Amino acid sequence: MSDTDITVRKTEKLYEGKAKILYATNRPDLLIQHFKDDATAFNGQKKGVIAHKGALNNAISSGIFERMEKEGIHTHFVARMGERDMLVRKVAIIPIEVVVRNIVAGSLAKRLGKPTGMNLSTPVLEFYYKDDKLGDPMINDYHIRAFGLATDEEMAHISGEALRINQWLINFFDSVGVQLVDYKLEFGRTEEGTVLLADEISPDGCRLWDKQSGEIMDKDRFRQDLGRITEAYEEMARRVSGAR
Ligand code: ADP
Ligand code: UDP
């Protein structure tokens, strides 16, 4: 859809989450994701604001989704609408957070007692039940099947897509001097039953390390009070927009 085709406007607010607000539009199949500056960590226990984060994450995520679409990766992205808004296809979010890991960090380092920074010989996929009240517990294919969270066919598709997305994202971030450590993906179903990559891909949900210096360029700067948080997001936005 080109900019001139967009006569879509926000109608009512449907949902306010920790980092984004979802609005209905005058088109039943389209929503607007509004990116906020609010930041949370440790399952909402730490709260704060990262100046300009909403605009930066919209720019980063839109830039990545746009490129993915060109590579035949199907996402909910329709268009970036101004600084903080993204027009997206409406989907029913599958309540599974898909975490993809290339390098040991975060909860994997803790759970398995492995050193942060260790390269994984093959990507690791993990599934978490998307439920803030429960703290997003880890689940496996059997839980997903037993509780009917997704069909086996959908899970085969999601796992395949996650690995294909991972290969594309590793190469993309590498081309802008960044190591893709780990990240979270969400998928959703359209009314016709097609499964699309949804939500966002930004430093809020990815661990990104500068290839040369090893500097942390993601929300871990907020989690660990490392300072220069907006600067890191700005640098990521600059690199994504400048990527070839
Ligand atoms: P949270 O719900 O974890 O606080 P956010 O603040 O990011 O997270 O809120 C955005 C919400 O919108 C998320 O729950 C996400 O699953 C949902 N979402 C993302 N993309 C779509 C979409 N295309 N259609 C419907 N819901 C979506
Ligand atoms: N992640 C996320 N949302 C969540 C949980 C994890 O975006 O609710 C991302 C997180 O930013 C990291 C990856 O998924 O890039 C793996 O997170 P991990 O399991 O290590 O948890 P953490 O230690 O970050 O809580």
Side-chain angles (χ1 to χ4, degrees):
M1 191 182 280
S2 76
D3 280 357
T4 49
D5 294 327
I6 298 167
T7 49
V8 184
R9 51 188 163 70
K10 279 180 195 164
T11 55
E12 83 269 29
K13 180 162 145 180
L14 295 178
Y15 172 81
E16 176 150 8
K18 299 184 290 292
K20 299 192 287 299
I21 303 174
L22 278 183
Y23 292 93
T25 70
N26 52 325
R27 285 265 308 262
D29 56 332
L30 300 177
L31 301 178
I32 288 172
Q33 284 203 116
H34 172 87
F35 288 74
K36 303 192 288 180
D37 290 347
D38 298 347
T40 62
F42 312 120
N43 199 31
Q45 286 171 51
K46 178 173 173 150
K47 288 193 175 76
V49 166
I50 300 174
H52 312 297
K53 176 172 80 77
L56 294 165
N57 277 356
N58 190 27
I60 294 166
S61 206
S62 295
I64 291 174
F65 282 149
E66 213 161 352
R67 284 183 174 81
M68 283 181 159
E69 288 288 342
K70 286 191 187 128
E71 301 296 323
I73 295 169
H74 300 301
T75 79
H76 69 159
F77 179 80
V78 178
R80 184 173 160 196
M81 292 178 85
E83 258 211 327
R84 287 169 183 269
D85 290 351
M86 185 195 286
L87 185 64
V88 298
R89 303 261 317 262
K90 178 172 154 185
V91 294
I93 293 288
I94 296 171
I96 300 171
E97 299 199 339
V98 178
V99 168
V100 187
R101 301 179 183 275
N102 297 304
I103 297 172
V104 174
S107 69
L108 179 63
K110 272 208 205 97
R111 203 168 52 243
L112 298 189
K114 301 292 182 195
T116 296
M118 179 186 171
N119 278 309
L120 293 163
S121 58
T122 178
V124 169
L125 287 191
E126 294 172 352
F127 305 119
Y128 295 85
Y129 182 41
K130 186 172 152 59
D131 186 323
D132 281 343
K133 290 191 295 299
L134 300 175
D136 299 339
M138 192 190 247
I139 51 175
N140 64 29
D141 287 328
Y142 288 86
H143 300 101
I144 292 169
R145 194 175 301 124
F147 294 107
L149 302 181
T151 65
D152 286 356
E153 197 188 348
E154 284 172 336
M155 285 316 291
H157 173 76
I158 286 172
S159 297
E161 279 297 273
L163 293 174
R164 192 162 78 98
I165 289 165
N166 188 47
Q167 206 44 62
W168 187 85
L169 278 177
I170 288 175
N171 293 337
F172 173 75
F173 281 117
D174 183 70
S175 77
V176 296
V178 171
Q179 270 191 311
L180 177 61
V181 176
D182 59 27
Y183 54 100
K184 182 260 297 178
L185 300 174
E186 291 186 24
F187 293 86
R189 300 176 190 103
T190 63
E191 279 206 335
E192 305 82 58
T194 309
V195 172
L196 300 177
L197 177 63
D199 206 49
E200 67 182 297
I201 297 184
S202 75
D204 268 16
C206 302
R207 286 197 171 89
L208 303 164
W209 295 348
D210 182 77
K211 243 173 22 177
Q212 234 116 60
S213 65
E215 197 183 352
I216 292 171
M217 302 179 70
D218 58 67
K219 202 168 83 175
D220 272 350
R221 300 199 74 82
F222 169 77
R223 292 190 186 96
Q224 300 172 26
D225 293 318
L226 298 177
R228 299 180 54 79
I229 308 172
T230 296
E231 287 81 351
Y233 280 65
E234 275 169 352
E235 178 59 21
M236 281 311 308
R238 242 190 315 276
R239 293 195 195 185
V240 168
S241 74
R244 285 200 290 139

